[in-house]
Amino acid sequence: KSVIEYFQGYLGIPPFGFPEPLRTRILKGKNIPGTDMSCFAGRPGADMPPMDLAVEKQKLQEKWGPESADERHNHQIRDVDVMSHAMYPNVFEEFMEHQSEFGQLNYVDTRTFLTGMKVGEELAVTLEPGKQLVVKLIGVAEPDTDGMVDVQFELNGQPRMAHIKDKSAGKDVKEHLKAIKGVVGSVGAPMPGVVLETNVNKGDKVKSGDPLVSLSAMKMETMVASPCDGVVTKVEVTAGDQVEAGDLIIEIEEA
């Protein structure tokens, strides 16, 4: 689309015009919407009808403002928003949809916004003077069959969990969740190693000291025991899995 608009003269006309027959082959008879012209004759704005900025602002308020039928849209439309929409309508629509889904992201630094956080990394987010959030990424699980990923993080030291749709493709490396410190039923690997055997399944009742998972580490076999009485709610590993110290292997709901 951008190439076609370029050869229609949306950015202006080169001093000697567009080369033929290249221009004709690219446009393939397409006219500029709302006109019978295939290409602007001079400055594009000279042939455009005047824009009623007040009307455009009202339209944006009806679509994106508090009066919108979509409850996600509760934006205050400013004059700069009207100008952004006038110059870059598609980009503006994408931006507003992104804000409606994720909220204000201008609090996040550029590198984090573009590339995301790494496991173990901490991020300080200042919402306003004297109000700061500290976010630490603990672990990112492998996508399930629906493409959903469990993201485990700490917010001001408190453990949190989010379920995120993974839109990437070809993800080969599995990142294990980390056991939550201070939560007895969140059982982590005591050291790096390979899982030899899991001794419990989801729904099993266990008592404190019961064997849960057998690990091979440093050419020695280590048995991870249950730290409490309860019911197994999740088994995160299977035989052959490589785990790191602190990786979540079993979750138990305390009795």
Side-chain angles (χ1 to χ4, degrees):
K1 182 180 178 181
S2 60
V3 174
I4 293 174
E5 290 181 347
Y6 173 75
F7 278 90
Q8 287 177 326
Y10 273 75
L11 301 181
I13 307 297
F16 300 101
F18 294 105
E20 291 289 1
L22 177 62
R23 184 188 72 87
T24 302
R25 289 176 178 174
I26 289 176
L27 296 183
K28 297 179 180 178
K30 293 182 180 178
N31 288 336
I32 297 170
T35 75
D36 57 358
M37 302 184 301
S38 64
C39 181
F40 289 108
R43 183 176 66 85
D47 296 312
M48 295 176 64
M51 174 177 282
D52 190 328
L53 298 179
V55 171
E56 292 301 317
K57 186 172 185 177
Q58 180 61 32
K59 290 180 180 178
L60 293 178
Q61 287 174 337
E62 291 174 358
K63 182 172 183 178
W64 301 105
E67 52 195 282
S68 169
D70 191 330
E71 60 182 14
R72 300 178 306 141
H73 301 163
N74 191 28
H75 306 283
Q76 297 300 322
I77 302 300
R78 307 162 298 166
D79 290 342
V80 293
D81 296 323
V82 179
M83 297 308 298
S84 296
H85 182 265
M87 293 184 288
Y88 308 104
N90 292 338
V91 175
F92 180 81
E93 294 281 323
E94 292 175 4
F95 173 74
M96 296 301 283
E97 281 290 354
H98 192 275
Q99 277 204 330
S100 297
E101 183 174 358
F102 300 106
Q104 293 280 357
L105 293 178
N106 55 302
Y107 304 110
V108 180
D109 64 272
T110 302
R111 189 203 65 77
T112 302
F113 176 79
L114 293 176
T115 65
M117 297 177 65
K118 297 179 180 178
V119 174
E121 181 180 1
E122 282 191 355
L123 175 66
V125 180
T126 302
L127 300 180
E128 59 186 52
K131 188 174 183 179
Q132 187 178 70
L133 302 177
V134 178
V135 182
K136 182 177 181 180
L137 183 60
I138 304 300
V140 181
E142 188 177 45
D144 60 17
T145 54
D146 296 322
M148 299 299 294
V149 175
D150 289 338
V151 178
Q152 193 176 32
F153 62 99
E154 290 180 356
L155 180 62
N156 288 345
Q158 298 298 315
R160 300 289 180 90
M161 179 82 76
H163 305 286
I164 308 296
K165 181 72 173 180
D166 185 4
K167 298 180 181 179
S168 63
K171 191 172 183 179
D172 300 323
V173 180
K174 179 180 179 181
E175 290 279 0
H176 290 284
L177 295 174
K178 295 292 182 180
I180 303 175
K181 295 180 180 179
V183 178
V184 177
S186 183
V187 184
M191 63 187 72
V194 177
V195 176
L196 296 178
E197 183 183 13
T198 55
N199 299 88
V200 293
N201 296 306
K202 181 179 179 180
D204 288 354
K205 293 182 179 180
V206 294
K207 293 185 176 295
S208 179
D210 284 353
L212 300 175
V213 175
S214 176
L215 295 177
S216 174
M218 303 294 290
K219 298 183 179 180
M220 297 178 61
E221 184 175 337
T222 301
M223 182 61 68
V224 180
S226 174
C228 61
D229 297 350
V231 178
V232 176
T233 58
K234 182 184 289 187
V235 179
E236 278 289 316
V237 295
T238 58
D241 283 356
Q242 179 76 43
V243 294
E244 299 294 329
D247 283 355
L248 179 66
I249 54 177
I250 300 288
E251 275 190 354
I252 300 172
E253 182 178 342
E254 292 184 69

